[in-house]
Amino acid sequence: MDRILKKIIHYLDTHPYLRLATVSAAGTPVAHTVAYVSRQATVYFITDKESRKARNILQNPAVAYTVDENYIELTDIQGVQMEGEARLVTEPAEVETAAKLLIDKFPAMRDIPQNPDLVYFRIDPKKGYFIDCTVDFGHRDKIVFD
């Protein structure tokens, strides 16, 4: 496995939230904080089917997101920047897998009542970067996904 991909997968596995960028029907960029789970470099999240992010994705599946921390020193910054395509997850087996992964990562989700208005989305990566300012300020390694 490619070393950049390994870094991205590890970073995704060890962080709970991402900042998701979508585009509204009017062309306005919108940022959303989202709890997520990952399988390799693919991420899953759950949201209300009427949420702004769900509506935006259904109109335009192109998304971008970042995963990072609140660093104090600029030279300590590390993180992931990804570009991809989001889609609604409708296959029951994949919904079940995403739900299990979310509960494993966020055990409190087990106590959330069933809600038919909640839907799962999947983001398949197209291009990604591992940002690592510990190497050099502004350093990033790029990977393109097939």
Side-chain angles (χ1 to χ4, degrees):
M1 181 183 300
D2 179 271
R3 75 172 177 79
I4 300 166
L5 180 57
K6 281 184 183 179
K7 285 182 177 183
I8 288 172
I9 290 169
H10 175 74
Y11 207 88
L12 291 175
D13 284 347
T14 57
H15 289 78
Y17 302 102
L18 59 80
R19 261 103 31 237
L20 177 67
T22 63
V23 180
S24 73
T28 305
V30 183
H32 320 266
T33 299
V34 177
Y36 73 93
V37 293
S38 55
R39 277 187 113 172
Q40 300 292 321
T42 297
V43 300
Y44 292 91
F45 66 91
I46 189 170
T47 190
D48 188 282
K49 66 183 178 185
E50 296 300 324
S51 69
R52 188 164 53 163
K53 67 183 146 301
R55 290 193 316 267
N56 289 352
I57 290 169
L58 292 174
Q59 293 175 92
N60 180 350
V63 298
Y65 67 85
T66 62
V67 179
D68 54 30
E69 297 178 29
N70 294 323
Y71 292 97
I72 294 173
E73 297 297 328
L74 294 175
T75 56
D76 291 338
I77 295 173
Q78 290 185 318
V80 172
Q81 294 175 338
M82 300 291 277
E83 299 170 21
E85 189 169 294
R87 68 174 178 80
L88 184 65
V89 177
T90 57
E91 184 204 319
E94 190 174 15
V95 168
E96 186 176 323
T97 297
K100 182 182 180 333
L101 290 169
L102 278 161
I103 288 170
D104 288 347
K105 188 171 183 177
F106 303 99
M109 288 190 73
R110 187 180 328 275
D111 301 328
I112 295 175
Q114 291 290 323
N115 182 342
D117 292 333
L118 295 178
V119 292
Y120 291 87
F121 280 92
R122 168 187 177 140
I123 302 174
D124 293 309
K126 299 294 182 198
K127 184 172 21 172
Y129 301 90
F130 187 80
I131 310 306
D132 192 349
C133 291
T134 66
V135 173
D136 190 27
F137 184 74
H139 179 87
R140 65 185 195 162
D141 292 310
K142 178 180 177 180
I143 185 168
V144 177
F145 297 86
D146 297 328

